[in-house]
Amino acid sequence: MANVAVIGAQWGDEGKGKVVDWLASRADVVVRFQGGHNAGHTLVVGNQTYKLSLLPSGVVRGKLGVIGNGVVLDPDALLSEISRVRGQGLDVGPHNLRIAENVPLILPLHPAIDKAREEARGEAKIGTTGRGIGPAYEDKVARRAIRLCDLAEPETLSAKLDELLLHHNTLLKGLGAATFEKQELLDKLVALAPKLLPYAEAVWERLDEARHGNKRVLFEGAQAVMLDVDHGTYPFVTSSNTVAGNAAAGAGIGPHGIGTVLGIAKAYTTRVGSGPFPTELFDDVGKRLGERGREFGTVTGRPRRCGWFDACLVRQAVKVGGIQGLALTKLDVLDGLEELKICTGYRIEGEVVKRLPAALGAQAKAEPIYETLEGWTQSTQGARSWAELPATAIKYVKRIEELVEAPVTLLSTSPERDDTILVSDPFAG
Ligand code: IMP
């Protein structure tokens, strides 16, 4: 079975949408295995732009979409996304979208807690998307989450809501926020049941069938390795494991089913939300990257922080994320810059290190060590072969390969799906 997992190698927004869409057209099944509607994938297909948050990108290509148990699912967000894409002419329904029956749900109290806590943090805020992702994962791990399958059992729901509200209303009161009524939530969930249950199943069985039927499965990661709850810049991270290893647990397949792991990285670096960012630029170059790269969050519309390519960080993502090949995106955004810098390591209190340390204090002290490369004046936008790239652009890509210790297997030169230089086929294994 030739499967592929795609994960972000920086802090998210690497342009996974386009690469995933490109790969989805060659897959049979596309699976989301972590995150929720904090993710935002923009797919440009012909003259249509699809903005997906929860739906696996495969639905745009008419493939079977699966939402795995590792996701946290907001029913309202899902239903409104389905009706939005249906309005754009896509066919989405229980026949081509299956959702793990054991997926935990995001309820209205989760974004309420998320926002109240962020407010209470003040200056120290994480900069979450405010969608309730963290609180929903907390409930899952604390064993009090309401899961999709519970919608079929009103008595189970009632007892679980008692436990949930005991916890959350106490917390909300303490934070000075409005509390929630049990009956209102119960009525809401009972009303949602007939709309959501037709999608529910044991998706692990379907994936097992796919495995035996030699189908191609694409695991679509959300966020990125540096936002991983274990391996990222904690606590400025999301609340799930974003590394490829989690595709197995988050979908219900064994680790051998994941297949080739493709990491996506921008040819520079961006980040939304708070947290360390050693190569962040506060000058005109940073502004230019943001403008040329149209760096605004898909989900929240927030401007993204921009900086030079951090090879030290991506190398770390390659190692902990299990990345075997790198798709480099938005190379064209660098067009016209006289010189380019790549971070090769950090200096911390005089000592040179080749990894971002885990401790917050040490991260704040990390000064990037740069290597300077010559830029290019020609446009690389829309290039579809190496021959169309200036020699200095090829040199830049080759240097990145060396520094991150992974081959660049795909190069993207515009938002258009076909403006891609393929070096090797990830589905070939
Ligand atoms: P949360 O996932 O909403 O809890 O947010 C935690 C951190 O992850 C914040 O810094 C968010 O900006 C960031 N984040 C969450 N989802 C994405 C994404 O899809 N792209 C980029 N950053 C994200």
Side-chain angles (χ1 to χ4, degrees):
M1 184 175 56
N3 293 343
V4 175
V6 173
I7 59 170
Q10 294 159 319
W11 278 293
D13 311 310
E14 294 92 351
K16 285 189 286 292
K18 171 184 156 171
V19 177
V20 165
D21 174 48
W22 187 82
L23 290 167
S25 65
R26 310 178 54 236
D28 300 294
V29 187
V30 182
V31 185
R32 277 283 309 268
F33 58 90
Q34 48 75 224
H37 65 312
N38 50 348
H41 286 176
T42 306
L43 309 183
V44 182
V45 183
N47 54 7
Q48 280 279 21
T49 300
Y50 301 98
K51 288 193 183 292
L52 304 183
S53 277
L54 253 177
L55 290 173
S57 299
V59 297
V60 173
R61 297 276 157 210
K63 304 301 167 85
L64 177 70
V66 170
I67 295 181
N69 55 278
V71 168
V72 280
L73 182 92
D74 183 320
D76 293 325
L78 177 76
L79 295 172
S80 73
E81 192 170 319
I82 290 176
S83 84
R84 185 162 44 77
V85 297
R86 277 184 185 155
Q88 288 184 280
L90 287 187
D91 168 34
V92 180
H95 61 289
N96 63 358
L97 176 66
R98 308 305 297 154
I99 306 178
E101 59 185 0
N102 49 347
V103 77
L105 300 183
I106 297 182
L107 305 183
L109 47 82
H110 293 121
I113 292 267
D114 196 352
K115 286 174 199 151
R117 268 207 305 236
E118 279 285 86
E119 229 162 82
R121 283 183 189 116
E123 284 292 292
K125 71 172 195 280
I126 290 166
T128 71
T129 59
R131 304 268 161 119
I133 307 295
Y137 275 116
E138 287 168 35
D139 279 350
K140 166 177 162 167
V141 176
R143 296 165 292 195
R144 58 174 172 255
I146 293 194
R147 309 196 296 176
L148 181 54
C149 50
D150 297 330
L151 298 187
E153 299 179 1
E155 318 76 57
T156 309
L157 266 183
S158 174
K160 285 186 112 175
L161 276 174
D162 284 332
E163 196 196 344
L164 202 68
L165 285 175
L166 177 68
H167 178 84
H168 284 284
N169 279 342
T170 313
L171 210 58
L172 284 162
K173 259 187 224 143
L175 288 163
T179 55
F180 284 81
E181 288 292 326
K182 176 182 171 185
Q183 196 57 46
E184 213 174 300
L185 282 175
L186 188 58
D187 292 347
K188 183 181 170 63
L189 291 171
V190 168
L192 279 169
K195 295 181 192 158
L196 285 181
L197 288 174
Y199 292 93
E201 71 175 23
V203 297
W204 62 267
E205 278 182 337
R206 193 173 286 264
L207 293 174
D208 190 50
E209 271 167 35
R211 189 187 176 92
H212 287 107
N214 271 326
K215 302 271 194 244
R216 289 172 158 189
V217 182
L218 176 65
F219 297 95
E220 176 179 1
Q223 292 87 46
V225 176
M226 286 302 142
L227 289 171
D228 183 284
V229 68
D230 286 294
H231 299 287
T233 45
Y234 190 92
F236 302 99
V237 292
T238 193
S239 297
S240 60
N241 283 113
T242 57
V243 291
N246 193 28
I253 50 145
H256 301 298
I258 297 172
T260 305
V261 181
L262 186 68
I264 319 284
K266 263 180 209 172
Y268 49 101
T269 314
T270 65
R271 166 161 215 176
V272 282
S274 323
F277 182 174
T279 63
E280 184 168 11
L281 290 168
F282 301 95
D283 60 4
D284 284 350
V285 177
K287 230 171 101 191
R288 181 191 163 117
L289 293 176
E291 281 161 11
R292 279 187 61 105
R294 293 183 295 281
E295 298 295 355
F296 295 93
T298 318
V299 170
T300 57
R302 294 178 285 181
R304 296 176 184 141
R305 301 154 65 192
C306 298
W308 293 121
F309 187 85
D310 189 339
C312 184
L313 193 93
V314 174
R315 177 180 168 274
Q316 194 164 327
V318 163
K319 308 286 176 191
V320 299
I323 293 169
Q324 293 159 298
L326 207 65
L328 203 62
T329 62
K330 298 184 114 171
L331 184 72
D332 57 299
V333 173
L334 301 178
D335 291 355
L337 285 171
E338 234 164 74
E339 58 179 34
L340 304 168
K341 290 185 196 293
I342 299 180
C343 170
T344 60
Y346 311 107
R347 191 166 279 108
I348 301 176
E349 292 181 331
E351 197 189 327
V352 174
V353 293
K354 292 281 180 192
R355 60 179 171 81
L356 192 62
L360 271 180
Q363 284 176 357
K365 287 183 202 147
E367 291 168 36
I369 300 168
Y370 286 119
E371 191 172 295
T372 304
L373 281 86
E374 199 184 324
W376 51 91
T377 47
Q378 304 95 309
S379 164
T380 63
Q381 192 165 27
R384 294 184 183 185
S385 71
W386 289 103
E388 291 173 58
L389 294 181
T392 42
I394 296 175
K395 218 166 155 189
Y396 182 73
V397 175
K398 292 287 165 203
R399 188 62 186 134
I400 284 178
E401 274 189 332
E402 276 170 16
L403 288 168
V404 306
E405 297 176 29
V408 171
T409 52
L410 209 144
L411 202 63
S412 157
T413 55
S414 99
E416 283 299 322
R417 195 166 149 256
D418 295 329
D419 293 340
T420 301
I421 301 172
L422 180 68
V423 184
S424 70
D425 179 358
F427 274 118

